Amino acid sequence: MLSELQKETAQAIVNIFETGSVRGDYARVTLLTGDSGHLTYGRAQTTLGSGNLHLLIKAYCATPGAAYARALKPYLPQLADIDLRLDTDWTFRNVLKEAGGDPVMRDAQDDFFDRVYWTPAMASARRTGLGEALSAAVVYDSAVHGSWTAMRDRTTAKAGTASSAGERKWIGAYLDTRRDWLASHSNSLLRKTVYRMDAFRALAASGNWSLDLPMTVRGVRIDTDTLGLRPPVNASAIEVATRNLRLTDPKMSGNDVRALEEALSKEGYAINRDGIFDEGLETALKSFQRDFGLVDDGIAGPATRLMLGI
């Protein structure tokens, strides 16, 4: 079990990777040519392409006192559909920037990154057999950056499980595997993000597995003072836009729906596995979300997929 200070430190490391700031930049809007995540926003740069920007803005608009809810609500259908025209919708981008100054938005982002990234990432870390603070930071970083599951499985195929190899050795193998993948990626932006793995390697080499403070990451000091305060390349490692699966008309279907059905079935939920997102699948999904402390909105977004291991 990580202490609150260790959690804040792990999140600060990722904030530095994403925005160059210990606390992150709640109003930052970024669009890098060639970034598969497309438009990115906020403290740890959540992406349009992942579907997470929709979930964040949806949560913000539903929060009492959200000053920019009225201006942002009309964009929710486009966000849900991952409409890439929003990349260059300057009215939308300016509203996002202004909303970043709203204390309600800052609270919404803090809650969002805990709920959608941190909590599922820690659950996945535990299932993988990882318990040290530095390991938690590595998993959280990959959950935010993208492709944690694929790199985890690739590492296990090479090095064995964390329990058989030993946690620190396994994390070292994971960092090497992920760095090699980033360094040879076809997307030139992702090749520039190998610094993330280099920073973790340096912490491991120094023996700072407990994330003791103070520390310096990419020239930025993290200590108890800076953690109390409320840009590098930050391209998303998401390979392609992944649909947020939900009940629609016409109903969604395909291999991603089948994968969701298989995962829920393994968790013990009775499902008609036909590759169609129908009312029965929505009911089972909401039950899973309630059982595992997620928002039971019936949307299989990144947090739910991460919790299910898909």
Side-chain angles (χ1 to χ4, degrees):
M1 180 70 69
L2 270 63
S3 69
E4 188 63 25
L5 182 58
Q6 287 173 319
K7 172 187 174 182
E8 289 184 9
T9 302
Q11 293 185 343
I13 292 170
V14 176
N15 289 341
I16 290 170
F17 291 163
E18 293 288 338
T19 66
S21 168
V22 168
R23 294 297 297 174
D25 183 349
Y26 293 92
R28 181 165 178 165
V29 178
T30 305
L31 178 65
L32 297 177
T33 302
D35 185 353
S36 58
H38 292 274
L39 192 72
T40 64
Y41 177 62
R43 192 192 88 189
Q45 295 289 278
T46 194
T47 65
L48 171 65
S50 69
N52 272 340
L53 185 55
H54 166 241
L55 298 179
L56 170 61
I57 301 305
K58 178 184 174 185
Y60 169 72
C61 289
T63 303
Y68 293 85
R70 184 175 180 180
L72 287 170
K73 277 183 180 178
Y75 293 100
L76 287 176
Q78 285 179 273
L79 288 166
D81 292 336
I82 311 181
D83 186 341
L84 301 184
R85 290 176 295 181
L86 292 175
D87 281 349
T88 53
D89 186 324
W90 290 99
T91 300
F92 172 64
R93 292 175 60 164
N94 287 333
V95 173
L96 285 180
K97 289 180 181 179
E98 292 176 9
D102 181 2
V104 176
M105 173 61 85
R106 294 197 291 269
D107 289 343
Q109 289 190 30
D110 287 344
D111 175 72
F112 177 81
F113 281 103
D114 270 2
R115 173 169 50 84
V116 174
Y117 291 110
W118 179 262
T119 298
M122 293 308 97
S124 186
R126 287 192 296 272
R127 288 197 300 268
T128 307
L130 305 173
E132 299 209 54
L134 180 56
S135 301
V138 170
V139 176
Y140 176 64
D141 173 62
S142 292
V144 171
H145 197 210
S147 299
W148 150 249
T149 302
M151 293 299 102
R152 176 201 63 194
D153 293 347
R154 187 177 296 185
T155 302
T156 299
K158 291 180 180 179
T161 64
S163 59
S164 64
E167 178 171 352
R168 295 186 180 187
K169 183 177 179 180
W170 191 93
I171 284 293
Y174 177 85
L175 294 175
D176 290 344
T177 298
R178 187 174 179 86
R179 192 189 193 285
D180 289 344
W181 174 69
L182 289 170
S184 61
H185 203 280
S186 58
N187 187 330
S188 62
L189 290 176
L190 286 181
R191 295 198 294 270
K192 296 177 181 180
T193 65
V194 295
Y195 64 78
R196 303 169 89 116
M197 300 303 99
D198 292 340
F200 284 129
R201 280 170 153 182
L203 288 171
S206 70
N208 194 359
W209 288 86
S210 297
L211 298 183
D212 295 325
L213 298 178
M215 69 170 69
T216 300
V217 175
R218 288 186 59 78
V220 179
R221 181 180 172 89
I222 305 175
D223 55 31
T224 53
D225 290 335
T226 57
L227 285 176
L229 300 174
R230 288 267 302 174
V233 174
N234 54 12
S236 170
I238 297 166
E239 291 294 283
V240 294
T242 303
R243 291 193 299 176
N244 282 343
L245 302 175
R246 64 193 192 281
L247 189 62
T248 58
D249 185 18
K251 293 179 172 62
M252 290 184 171
S253 62
N255 290 333
D256 50 357
V257 177
R258 289 186 183 277
L260 174 63
E261 292 171 336
E262 291 290 340
L264 285 170
S265 180
K266 287 180 181 178
E267 293 290 337
Y269 297 88
I271 292 171
N272 180 25
R273 289 181 284 178
D274 56 6
I276 299 173
F277 197 114
D278 57 15
E279 290 80 1
L281 180 54
E282 182 187 49
T283 298
L285 179 59
K286 287 182 176 180
S287 295
F288 170 81
Q289 290 171 325
R290 286 193 296 272
D291 291 344
F292 284 82
L294 299 168
V295 174
D296 57 340
D297 57 5
I299 300 174
T304 299
R305 292 197 301 269
L306 185 58
M307 192 71 83
L308 283 167
I310 57 175

mmCIF file of all heavy atoms in Angstrom, residues 16 20 29 70 97 151 157 168 174 180 195 222 224 236 249 282 310:
data_model
loop_
_atom_site.group_PDB
_atom_site.id
_atom_site.type_symbol
_atom_site.label_atom_id
_atom_site.label_comp_id
_atom_site.label_asym_id
_atom_site.label_seq_id
_atom_site.Cartn_x
_atom_site.Cartn_y
_atom_site.Cartn_z
ATOM 1 N N ILE A 16 5.337 15.875 -14.804
ATOM 2 C CA ILE A 16 6.546 16.474 -15.389
ATOM 3 C C ILE A 16 6.746 15.970 -16.810
ATOM 4 O O ILE A 16 7.066 16.743 -17.724
ATOM 5 C CB ILE A 16 7.766 16.166 -14.510
ATOM 6 C CG1 ILE A 16 7.672 16.941 -13.186
ATOM 7 C CG2 ILE A 16 9.066 16.515 -15.238
ATOM 8 C CD1 ILE A 16 8.694 16.520 -12.153
ATOM 9 N N GLY A 20 5.817 19.307 -17.903
ATOM 10 C CA GLY A 20 6.996 19.980 -17.383
ATOM 11 C C GLY A 20 6.808 20.580 -16.014
ATOM 12 O O GLY A 20 7.685 21.273 -15.505
ATOM 13 N N VAL A 29 -3.698 23.032 -23.562
ATOM 14 C CA VAL A 29 -4.262 22.380 -24.736
ATOM 15 C C VAL A 29 -3.128 22.195 -25.741
ATOM 16 O O VAL A 29 -2.444 23.152 -26.086
ATOM 17 C CB VAL A 29 -5.391 23.216 -25.370
ATOM 18 C CG1 VAL A 29 -5.924 22.527 -26.623
ATOM 19 C CG2 VAL A 29 -6.513 23.448 -24.371
ATOM 20 N N ARG A 70 -22.056 25.153 -19.603
ATOM 21 C CA ARG A 70 -22.974 25.538 -20.678
ATOM 22 C C ARG A 70 -22.249 25.667 -22.011
ATOM 23 O O ARG A 70 -22.789 25.283 -23.063
ATOM 24 C CB ARG A 70 -23.657 26.856 -20.325
ATOM 25 C CG ARG A 70 -24.700 27.305 -21.326
ATOM 26 C CD ARG A 70 -25.431 28.554 -20.843
ATOM 27 N NE ARG A 70 -26.440 28.994 -21.787
ATOM 28 C CZ ARG A 70 -27.219 30.045 -21.607
ATOM 29 N NH1 ARG A 70 -27.104 30.775 -20.502
ATOM 30 N NH2 ARG A 70 -28.114 30.379 -22.517
ATOM 31 N N LYS A 97 -9.204 26.075 -22.554
ATOM 32 C CA LYS A 97 -8.170 26.843 -21.848
ATOM 33 C C LYS A 97 -8.775 27.679 -20.726
ATOM 34 O O LYS A 97 -8.240 27.723 -19.608
ATOM 35 C CB LYS A 97 -7.416 27.745 -22.832
ATOM 36 C CG LYS A 97 -6.495 27.002 -23.785
ATOM 37 C CD LYS A 97 -5.790 27.968 -24.725
ATOM 38 C CE LYS A 97 -4.882 27.227 -25.693
ATOM 39 N NZ LYS A 97 -4.205 28.149 -26.647
ATOM 40 N N MET A 151 2.818 -3.802 -23.585
ATOM 41 C CA MET A 151 4.216 -3.865 -23.143
ATOM 42 C C MET A 151 4.382 -4.793 -21.935
ATOM 43 O O MET A 151 5.403 -5.460 -21.794
ATOM 44 C CB MET A 151 4.720 -2.465 -22.801
ATOM 45 C CG MET A 151 4.834 -1.531 -23.990
ATOM 46 S SD MET A 151 5.994 -2.127 -25.268
ATOM 47 C CE MET A 151 4.832 -2.780 -26.481
ATOM 48 N N ALA A 157 6.485 -12.252 -21.640
ATOM 49 C CA ALA A 157 6.899 -13.279 -22.595
ATOM 50 C C ALA A 157 8.415 -13.423 -22.631
ATOM 51 O O ALA A 157 8.949 -14.521 -22.837
ATOM 52 C CB ALA A 157 6.370 -12.939 -23.986
ATOM 53 N N ARG A 168 11.922 -6.199 -9.041
ATOM 54 C CA ARG A 168 12.854 -5.188 -9.548
ATOM 55 C C ARG A 168 13.474 -5.611 -10.877
ATOM 56 O O ARG A 168 13.655 -4.776 -11.778
ATOM 57 C CB ARG A 168 13.929 -4.907 -8.497
ATOM 58 C CG ARG A 168 13.353 -4.265 -7.237
ATOM 59 C CD ARG A 168 14.416 -3.849 -6.245
ATOM 60 N NE ARG A 168 13.807 -3.247 -5.056
ATOM 61 C CZ ARG A 168 14.480 -2.664 -4.070
ATOM 62 N NH1 ARG A 168 15.817 -2.634 -4.108
ATOM 63 N NH2 ARG A 168 13.842 -2.133 -3.041
ATOM 64 N N TYR A 174 10.961 -4.497 -18.114
ATOM 65 C CA TYR A 174 9.859 -3.733 -18.696
ATOM 66 C C TYR A 174 10.364 -2.398 -19.245
ATOM 67 O O TYR A 174 10.001 -2.002 -20.364
ATOM 68 C CB TYR A 174 8.764 -3.481 -17.657
ATOM 69 C CG TYR A 174 7.637 -2.641 -18.192
ATOM 70 C CD1 TYR A 174 6.588 -3.224 -18.894
ATOM 71 C CD2 TYR A 174 7.629 -1.251 -18.026
ATOM 72 C CE1 TYR A 174 5.562 -2.451 -19.421
ATOM 73 C CE2 TYR A 174 6.608 -0.473 -18.552
ATOM 74 C CZ TYR A 174 5.582 -1.073 -19.251
ATOM 75 O OH TYR A 174 4.573 -0.295 -19.789
ATOM 76 N N ASP A 180 12.868 0.200 -25.917
ATOM 77 C CA ASP A 180 13.186 -0.293 -27.259
ATOM 78 C C ASP A 180 12.005 -0.087 -28.201
ATOM 79 O O ASP A 180 12.179 0.286 -29.369
ATOM 80 C CB ASP A 180 13.544 -1.782 -27.203
ATOM 81 C CG ASP A 180 14.889 -2.037 -26.534
ATOM 82 O OD1 ASP A 180 15.667 -1.079 -26.387
ATOM 83 O OD2 ASP A 180 15.149 -3.200 -26.159
ATOM 84 N N TYR A 195 12.783 9.454 -23.025
ATOM 85 C CA TYR A 195 13.248 10.076 -21.781
ATOM 86 C C TYR A 195 12.451 9.592 -20.577
ATOM 87 O O TYR A 195 12.960 9.585 -19.448
ATOM 88 C CB TYR A 195 13.159 11.612 -21.869
ATOM 89 C CG TYR A 195 11.770 12.173 -22.019
ATOM 90 C CD1 TYR A 195 10.909 12.263 -20.925
ATOM 91 C CD2 TYR A 195 11.309 12.627 -23.247
ATOM 92 C CE1 TYR A 195 9.642 12.782 -21.047
ATOM 93 C CE2 TYR A 195 10.035 13.145 -23.376
ATOM 94 C CZ TYR A 195 9.202 13.225 -22.282
ATOM 95 O OH TYR A 195 7.933 13.731 -22.403
ATOM 96 N N ILE A 222 11.345 17.711 -7.211
ATOM 97 C CA ILE A 222 10.126 17.300 -6.515
ATOM 98 C C ILE A 222 10.458 17.199 -5.035
ATOM 99 O O ILE A 222 11.355 16.459 -4.631
ATOM 100 C CB ILE A 222 9.610 15.930 -7.010
ATOM 101 C CG1 ILE A 222 9.409 15.916 -8.517
ATOM 102 C CG2 ILE A 222 8.286 15.585 -6.310
ATOM 103 C CD1 ILE A 222 9.012 14.556 -9.072
ATOM 104 N N THR A 224 8.476 18.205 -0.837
ATOM 105 C CA THR A 224 7.178 18.423 -0.188
ATOM 106 C C THR A 224 6.638 19.825 -0.466
ATOM 107 O O THR A 224 5.420 20.025 -0.511
ATOM 108 C CB THR A 224 7.296 18.202 1.326
ATOM 109 O OG1 THR A 224 8.359 19.006 1.849
ATOM 110 C CG2 THR A 224 7.578 16.735 1.634
ATOM 111 N N SER A 236 1.041 10.907 -27.326
ATOM 112 C CA SER A 236 0.361 9.735 -26.770
ATOM 113 C C SER A 236 0.860 8.469 -27.433
ATOM 114 O O SER A 236 1.107 8.430 -28.644
ATOM 115 C CB SER A 236 -1.147 9.861 -26.986
ATOM 116 O OG SER A 236 -1.798 8.658 -26.662
ATOM 117 N N ASP A 249 -27.638 3.375 -31.079
ATOM 118 C CA ASP A 249 -28.617 2.982 -32.088
ATOM 119 C C ASP A 249 -28.128 3.487 -33.440
ATOM 120 O O ASP A 249 -28.106 4.700 -33.676
ATOM 121 C CB ASP A 249 -29.994 3.548 -31.764
ATOM 122 C CG ASP A 249 -31.075 3.062 -32.732
ATOM 123 O OD1 ASP A 249 -30.811 2.044 -33.416
ATOM 124 O OD2 ASP A 249 -32.144 3.690 -32.787
ATOM 125 N N GLU A 282 -24.899 -4.050 -21.543
ATOM 126 C CA GLU A 282 -24.834 -2.813 -20.771
ATOM 127 C C GLU A 282 -25.135 -3.080 -19.296
ATOM 128 O O GLU A 282 -24.451 -2.559 -18.405
ATOM 129 C CB GLU A 282 -25.817 -1.785 -21.323
ATOM 130 C CG GLU A 282 -25.765 -0.455 -20.573
ATOM 131 C CD GLU A 282 -26.856 0.515 -20.991
ATOM 132 O OE1 GLU A 282 -28.028 0.080 -21.025
ATOM 133 O OE2 GLU A 282 -26.552 1.681 -21.277
ATOM 134 N N ILE A 310 -8.186 -5.502 -20.827
ATOM 135 C CA ILE A 310 -8.312 -5.563 -22.289
ATOM 136 C C ILE A 310 -7.879 -4.250 -22.918
ATOM 137 O O ILE A 310 -7.788 -3.229 -22.267
ATOM 138 C CB ILE A 310 -9.765 -5.871 -22.714
ATOM 139 C CG1 ILE A 310 -10.749 -4.836 -22.143
ATOM 140 C CG2 ILE A 310 -10.149 -7.266 -22.279
ATOM 141 C CD1 ILE A 310 -12.173 -5.037 -22.629
#
